Amino acid sequence: MPLSAVEEEECIHLLKHSVLFKECTHGELKKLSRLATKRQHKKGDVLCREGEPQTKFYLMSEGQIVREKSNATGEVHRIDTYLGHSTVGSLHVPKKDPAYATSVCITDVTAYEIEADDLIREIKTNPDFYWNVVCSLTLEVRRHTRAQRTPLLEQHGKKPPIFAISLAASIESFYRSALNSLLNQALTGVRATTLFPNMHIQLPTRVMYINGFKLLRQYFDVNIKPEEYSNPTAVRLAAAITPGIIMTPVSSILEACNAGHANPEALYTRWMRGIVPRCGREVIFGVGLNQLSDWYEERVPDFDFLVQYPALKNALGSMAAGVTSGYLSHVVHNMSTLKLMNPNKTYRQHFREYVNKSEARVPTNLPPTARSLAKVFVATVFPTGVMIRTSQIVGSFIILNGIIGAVSRYDIKNKDS
């Protein structure tokens, strides 16, 4: 039964968004749509079975399918359907190749079907159509070969203006202060009197701190040439961790501002408490904010809407880096905070007390030795306050990288115009 005018336009739309026909003209797609048949499929119907010749392909109008592939041991795996967009089987149809996976309807499905012989005939008899199909495929291949895959330590940062960095740091300083106060409260049990203590010190210090991370990275990117050394990987690693080491004293002042309710020492003394584990935390923070955020952003899939909205791709990269950095830095952060809050105890005492707080989360029926090991495991792998700390880092990375990126793009756009 021929398609109605509305169905024909829908079929043309689906063809235009498929891998095989993106570069084809409206007239070519209209001609191809007249070869299509619209059919209904029930939930559980198999559109094509793995290993069997692909004698037709489908354009999904309504409903959902999954593609399942069996390996040599009989395990069944789901196959990503992103590349195929709204089509099923179109890449196997030209030579009637065996289907790579079994396509099963998981809902009721409405689909347009085009027979392989009809498509092959169109390709053989219409040189322009054949050429546009080739161009469609090369365009898709080219898009996938453009994927950026720079190694972590070889990431080179953007060069944002100092104004962009300072604006981002100013806004982020309030978010960070509030979350840090909540984290200290969860860790020590001492109620915070305010979420924004000593902001007259925190705000300019945070601006200097974030500028330090970004500008040091720029300086090292420009002036250090790892390939000129006998061990370039070691040089790249040193360049990545050095900003965190240099900025540790600045971070210590920020931390000391949040600890006055528990440690009555003067600020000029208090800032040095817990500086050793804090240095480790700052190294992780610096690599996360700089190299790791860029590394994750590169690896966010190039979906059409992400290409159109680079800020969203930046946010996803920053979020992934924030989760990683927040988790990895959590134990050293807790140790530095505990030492800052109570400098009279040694790190050994703090760690023992910190581990003992996890006792309630360990099963009581374990033998004593196993129970002791389990407490250490829980305290380090599932640390106290990990969600607050991770949320803090995720939010900080999204705010900092997002605002810096937005202001930088705006600045570039104005220069171009």
Side-chain angles (χ1 to χ4, degrees):
M1 180 178 175
L3 302 182
S4 67
V6 174
E7 291 172 338
E8 188 175 283
E9 283 303 313
E10 182 186 30
C11 186
I12 291 171
H13 174 78
L14 294 172
L15 286 167
K16 189 66 177 177
H17 286 80
S18 68
V19 173
L20 212 57
F21 309 110
K22 282 184 177 180
E23 294 299 297
C24 295
T25 66
H26 185 272
E28 291 166 343
L29 297 181
K30 187 171 186 177
K31 186 177 180 182
L32 190 60
S33 71
R34 289 174 177 171
L35 302 173
T37 304
K38 189 175 184 180
R39 287 202 171 90
Q40 311 291 327
H41 299 272
K42 296 294 184 183
K43 179 180 178 180
D45 286 355
V46 175
L47 299 186
C48 50
R49 197 172 298 279
E50 179 183 343
E52 294 182 0
Q54 192 82 50
T55 58
K56 63 179 70 174
F57 74 96
Y58 303 84
L59 299 158
M60 304 292 295
S61 172
E62 295 178 1
Q64 292 180 302
I65 61 104
V66 293
R67 299 176 67 220
E68 298 178 335
K69 172 74 175 175
S70 300
N71 63 16
T73 61
E75 293 176 297
V76 177
H77 298 273
R78 291 281 179 94
I79 304 299
D80 182 18
T81 59
Y82 162 66
L83 183 61
H85 298 286
S86 59
T87 62
V88 178
S90 62
L91 297 179
H92 291 74
V93 156
K95 292 182 65 177
K96 299 184 182 178
D97 290 327
Y100 178 74
T102 298
S103 297
V104 182
C105 301
I106 58 173
T107 65
D108 289 346
V109 165
T110 302
Y112 297 95
E113 303 175 7
I114 297 179
E115 297 288 336
D117 290 335
D118 292 334
L119 176 62
I120 292 168
R121 184 170 58 253
E122 282 299 309
I123 290 174
K124 288 183 176 180
T125 59
N126 188 337
D128 291 336
F129 177 63
Y130 166 78
W131 176 249
N132 287 331
V133 168
V134 170
C135 289
S136 300
L137 290 172
T138 55
L139 182 70
E140 190 69 25
V141 171
R142 198 164 67 233
R143 188 169 68 83
H144 284 275
T145 57
R146 287 200 298 262
Q148 298 174 352
R149 291 295 181 267
T150 310
L152 176 65
L153 296 178
E154 296 180 32
Q155 293 285 339
H156 288 278
K158 308 170 183 70
K159 297 180 180 179
I162 293 177
F163 168 75
I165 304 172
S166 302
L167 176 64
S170 299
I171 296 171
E172 184 268 347
S173 64
F174 288 91
Y175 174 85
R176 176 223 163 254
S177 176
L179 269 290
N180 225 37
S181 296
L182 292 174
L183 180 58
N184 291 349
Q185 182 176 290
L187 190 62
T188 64
V190 180
R191 185 174 178 81
T193 56
T194 175
L195 296 179
F196 309 106
N198 299 311
M199 288 307 294
H200 63 291
I201 298 173
Q202 285 205 67
L203 181 57
T205 306
R206 190 68 175 177
V207 169
M208 181 173 67
Y209 170 77
I210 299 299
N211 269 287
F213 275 111
K214 293 296 185 181
L215 297 179
L216 281 169
R217 183 191 188 187
Q218 287 183 33
Y219 178 82
F220 292 150
D221 282 349
V222 172
N223 294 283
I224 296 178
K225 310 296 181 187
E227 59 277 1
E228 296 177 0
Y229 294 84
S230 58
N231 191 339
T233 301
V235 174
R236 292 188 182 102
L237 179 61
I241 68 175
T242 299
I245 297 171
I246 293 175
M247 299 312 296
T248 296
V250 182
S251 171
S252 297
I253 295 173
L254 288 167
E255 294 297 319
C257 288
N258 283 90
H261 65 289
N263 183 348
E265 293 179 320
L267 185 61
Y268 60 78
T269 301
R270 195 162 71 227
W271 74 272
M272 293 183 288
R273 307 304 185 186
I275 198 168
V276 174
R278 192 174 300 117
C279 182
R281 186 197 69 184
E282 294 310 310
V283 166
I284 296 171
F285 179 89
V287 173
L289 178 65
N290 288 330
Q291 288 83 3
L292 192 60
S293 292
D294 291 345
W295 188 87
Y296 273 121
E297 185 179 346
E298 274 191 351
R299 284 152 180 79
V300 174
D302 283 328
F303 297 121
D304 291 340
F305 68 93
L306 290 177
V307 173
Q308 294 174 11
Y309 301 104
L312 182 55
K313 188 171 182 178
N314 177 277
L316 291 172
S318 295
M319 181 174 68
V323 170
T324 304
S325 301
Y327 180 77
L328 293 178
S329 67
H330 199 79
V331 174
V332 286
H333 171 79
N334 284 350
M335 288 299 99
S336 70
T337 300
L338 290 170
K339 185 67 173 176
L340 173 64
M341 298 291 192
N342 192 341
N344 297 319
K345 294 181 181 180
T346 64
Y347 285 115
R348 183 187 292 272
Q349 290 173 314
H350 277 305
F351 187 72
R352 187 182 298 118
E353 292 177 2
Y354 172 69
V355 168
N356 287 337
K357 287 182 179 179
S358 300
E359 189 168 4
R361 295 188 283 164
V362 175
T364 56
N365 58 350
L366 293 176
T369 303
R371 186 170 173 79
S372 297
L373 292 173
K375 285 193 296 184
V376 174
F377 178 82
V378 170
T380 52
V381 178
F382 305 104
T384 302
V386 67
M387 293 304 295
I388 299 175
R389 169 68 181 167
T390 301
S391 298
Q392 180 196 44
I393 300 299
V394 167
S396 291
F397 283 10
I398 291 175
I399 292 169
L400 292 169
N401 289 328
I403 294 176
I404 289 170
V407 174
S408 298
R409 284 191 296 273
Y410 178 79
D411 187 55
I412 291 170
K413 190 181 293 184
N414 280 352
K415 287 179 180 177
D416 291 342
S417 60

